């Protein structure tokens, strides 16, 4: 239920929404949500064939196990440099990259990831997050450490390597609390006030300010590189300039807007000002032309409208979702609403 990767009707936004919902609930109840975002080293390349077949024997009929065994067996690789080739070496680990079965075999291999205990698990392929919530920061960290230890033991058993230095520990809270380190194999996981998970930056107070700041910087870099195409001096037609904007720049900020659209209006306006700047450059508009007229004449939706549209579409998907972990996100009855901040359901009008 917690694995959303490579599954029909499951998206990255659905999984991030699960995490955001848990964090928001903790903040509303004045609790601490301690979270670790684990990095798995070479996840698909390190799948242990013996272990994979052992798990498949318990999940599938014998004939399927034999078929998959023959699929993985007797695979070789060699290295080519100029006209020189290395000797053939047998591939004893990993699933074939780019194959149809590759993602499925990885999901089968990691399907028994430990989830029992006082924590929540969220996975999308090899991107794994563990979250523990409590009134006390110390107890939340203890719960999280227990969950991490369980996952580490499981990973060691099945020869899955966790990259300690690239994993991130974040304490989501509005309180001032003492940091309690999380340890993996004797190594302390780096602590931060923010973490990037599935393309969205989650800050410790979940205000989305850091995510919007990061996207604005990325947009500026991309726009400078493309100014010769869609800038004021470009001879490209207006229609083609808009096509470039909609296909290259707009997806950068629009991704996940049904979640980060809950940010305060001043932060959302940062993205709107960028769009205004681009539209003025596309038609070489003088300063006195109103942005409302630009959006109307070019038939470009405002950032607020895009957020609203995506939020409604997302809510409609969740209402018919096959996974109850996702569909229950719409159930806000009895939820604490102490903080004066928007939720994804508020944007969609629920």
């Amino acid at each position: 239920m917690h694995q959303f990767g490579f599954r029909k009707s499951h998206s990255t936004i659905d999984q991030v929404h699960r995490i955001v919902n848990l964090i928001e609930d903790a903040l509303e109840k004045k609790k601490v949500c301690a979270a670790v975002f684990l990095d798995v080293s070479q996840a698909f390349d390190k799948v242990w064939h013996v272990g994979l077949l052992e798990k498949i024997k318990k999940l599938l009929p014998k004939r399927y196990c034999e078929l998959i065994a023959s699929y993985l067996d007797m695979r070789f690789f060699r290295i080519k440099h100029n006209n020189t080739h290395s000797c053939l070496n047998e591939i004893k680990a990993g699933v074939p990259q780019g194959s149809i079965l590759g993602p499925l075999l990885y999901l089968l291999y990691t399907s028994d990831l430990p989830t029992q205990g006082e924590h929540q698990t969220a996975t999308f392929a090899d991107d794994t997050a563990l979250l523990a919530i409590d009134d006390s920061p110390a107890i939340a960290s203890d719960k999280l450490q227990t969950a991490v230890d369980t996952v580490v033991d499981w990973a060691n058993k099945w020869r899955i390597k966790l990259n300690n230095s690239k994993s991130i520990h974040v304490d989501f809270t509005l309180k001032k609390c003492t940091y309690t380190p999380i340890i993996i194999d004797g190594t302390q996981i780096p602590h931060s006030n923010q973490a990037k998970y599935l393309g969205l930056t989650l800050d410790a107070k979940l205000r989305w300010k850091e995510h919007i700041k990061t996207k604005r910087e990325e947009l500026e870099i991309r726009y400078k590189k493309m100014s010769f195409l869609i800038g004021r001096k470009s001879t490209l037609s207006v229609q083609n300039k808009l096509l470039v904007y909609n296909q290259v720049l707009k997806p950068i900020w629009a991704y996940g807007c049904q979640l980060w659209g809950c940010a305060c209006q001043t932060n959302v306006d940062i993205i709107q000002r960028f769009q205004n700047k681009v539209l003025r450059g596309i038609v070489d508009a003088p300063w006195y032309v109103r942005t409302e007229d630009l959006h109307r004449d070019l038939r470009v939706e405002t950032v607020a409208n895009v957020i609203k549209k995506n939020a409604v579409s997302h809510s409609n998907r969740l209402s018919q979702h096959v996974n109850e972990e996702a569909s229950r996100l719409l159930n806000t009855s009895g939820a604490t609403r102490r903080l004066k901040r928007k939720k994804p359901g508020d944007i969609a009008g629920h």
Side-chain angles (χ1 to χ4, degrees), residues 150-161:
T150 304
V151 171
V152 169
D153 291 340
W154 171 85
N156 291 336
K157 177 182 178 181
W158 298 106
R159 302 187 182 183
I160 297 174
K161 182 174 176 54

Side-chain angles (χ1 to χ4, degrees), residues 194-246:
Q194 63 187 52
K196 188 174 182 179
Y197 185 70
L198 299 178
L200 292 175
T201 302
L202 308 176
D203 59 276
K205 296 183 179 181
L206 205 61
R207 299 188 187 278
W208 299 105
K209 182 178 180 180
E210 290 302 320
H211 175 79
I212 294 173
K213 178 183 177 182
T214 301
K215 289 302 175 183
R216 180 64 180 85
E217 292 172 351
E218 183 181 352
L219 286 166
E220 191 63 34
I221 293 172
R222 290 285 187 94
Y223 182 58
K224 286 182 178 179
K225 292 181 178 179
M226 300 173 58
S227 59
F228 73 97
L229 268 181
I230 61 176
R232 293 178 180 271
K233 296 182 181 180
S234 173
T235 57
L236 206 63
S237 67
V238 172
Q239 290 77 10
N240 285 332
K241 287 181 180 181
L242 286 174
L243 180 63
V244 172
Y245 171 70
N246 287 327

Side-chain angles (χ1 to χ4, degrees), residues 17-52:
H17 192 172
R18 278 190 66 221
I19 293 177
V20 167
N21 195 56
L22 289 169
I23 297 171
E24 283 181 340
D25 187 60
L27 297 180
E28 291 282 4
K29 296 177 180 177
K30 300 182 181 181
K31 296 184 177 183
V32 177
C33 178
V36 164
F37 299 87
L38 298 173
D39 181 82
V40 181
S41 299
Q42 299 176 312
F44 287 81
D45 295 329
K46 295 295 185 179
V47 173
W48 182 30
H49 288 177
V50 175
L52 173 61

Side-chain angles (χ1 to χ4, degrees), residues 102-147:
L104 176 60
L105 293 176
Y106 181 80
L107 294 188
L108 290 173
Y109 189 60
T110 57
S111 61
D112 60 343
L113 177 74
T115 57
Q116 295 79 16
E118 298 179 290
H119 72 281
Q120 296 289 333
T121 304
T123 53
F124 195 96
D126 60 327
D127 291 305
T128 304
L130 304 176
L131 303 93
I133 300 173
D134 199 90
D135 294 319
S136 167
I139 296 177
S141 295
D142 288 342
K143 290 180 180 179
L144 183 61
Q145 183 65 69
T146 301

Side-chain angles (χ1 to χ4, degrees), residues 293-344:
D293 296 337
L294 287 174
H295 283 79
R296 184 196 64 234
D297 295 342
L298 295 176
R299 297 181 181 178
V300 175
E301 292 183 302
T302 63
V303 172
N305 286 343
V306 173
I307 292 173
K308 172 75 173 180
K309 182 178 179 180
N310 285 9
V312 171
S313 176
H314 178 61
S315 293
N316 291 337
R317 283 185 62 255
L318 290 180
S319 64
Q320 304 172 14
H321 211 285
V322 295
N323 192 330
E324 65 177 35
E325 289 287 338
S327 59
R328 71 176 55 164
L329 294 173
L330 292 178
N331 184 13
T332 58
S333 59
T336 304
R337 294 299 299 264
R338 178 179 62 90
L339 302 173
K340 295 181 180 179
R341 55 169 67 181
K342 289 187 293 185
K343 304 292 178 65

Side-chain angles (χ1 to χ4, degrees), residues 13-108:
I13 298 303
D14 298 339
Q15 187 64 288
V16 179
H17 192 172
R18 278 190 66 221
I19 293 177
V20 167
N21 195 56
L22 289 169
I23 297 171
E24 283 181 340
D25 187 60
L27 297 180
E28 291 282 4
K29 296 177 180 177
K30 300 182 181 181
K31 296 184 177 183
V32 177
C33 178
V36 164
F37 299 87
L38 298 173
D39 181 82
V40 181
S41 299
Q42 299 176 312
F44 287 81
D45 295 329
K46 295 295 185 179
V47 173
W48 182 30
H49 288 177
V50 175
L52 173 61
L53 294 174
E54 184 65 28
K55 293 184 179 184
I56 291 176
K57 287 179 183 178
K58 300 177 181 178
L59 297 171
L60 300 176
K62 182 179 179 181
R63 61 181 181 275
Y64 291 117
C65 182
E66 293 174 347
L67 182 63
I68 293 174
S70 66
Y71 175 72
L72 297 173
D73 193 29
M74 299 299 290
R75 286 180 175 269
F76 298 86
F77 74 94
R78 65 178 179 179
I79 300 172
K80 178 183 178 182
H81 179 67
N82 295 329
N83 295 323
T84 306
H85 296 80
S86 68
C87 298
L88 287 174
N89 292 278
E90 187 176 0
I91 300 174
K92 297 181 179 180
V95 293
Q97 297 290 315
S99 65
I100 296 176
L101 278 181
L104 176 60
L105 293 176
Y106 181 80
L107 294 188
L108 290 173

Side-chain angles (χ1 to χ4, degrees), residues 233-285:
K233 296 182 181 180
S234 173
T235 57
L236 206 63
S237 67
V238 172
Q239 290 77 10
N240 285 332
K241 287 181 180 181
L242 286 174
L243 180 63
V244 172
Y245 171 70
N246 287 327
Q247 295 298 318
V248 180
L249 293 179
K250 183 178 177 180
I252 294 176
W253 64 259
Y255 173 74
C257 64
Q258 55 267 64
L259 299 180
W260 66 255
C262 297
C264 65
Q265 190 60 45
T266 54
N267 286 328
V268 176
D269 288 343
I270 292 174
I271 303 299
Q272 182 62 64
R273 286 195 294 271
F274 172 79
Q275 180 166 279
N276 297 345
K277 172 184 173 181
V278 174
L279 295 184
R280 287 184 177 278
I282 285 176
V283 297
D284 193 17

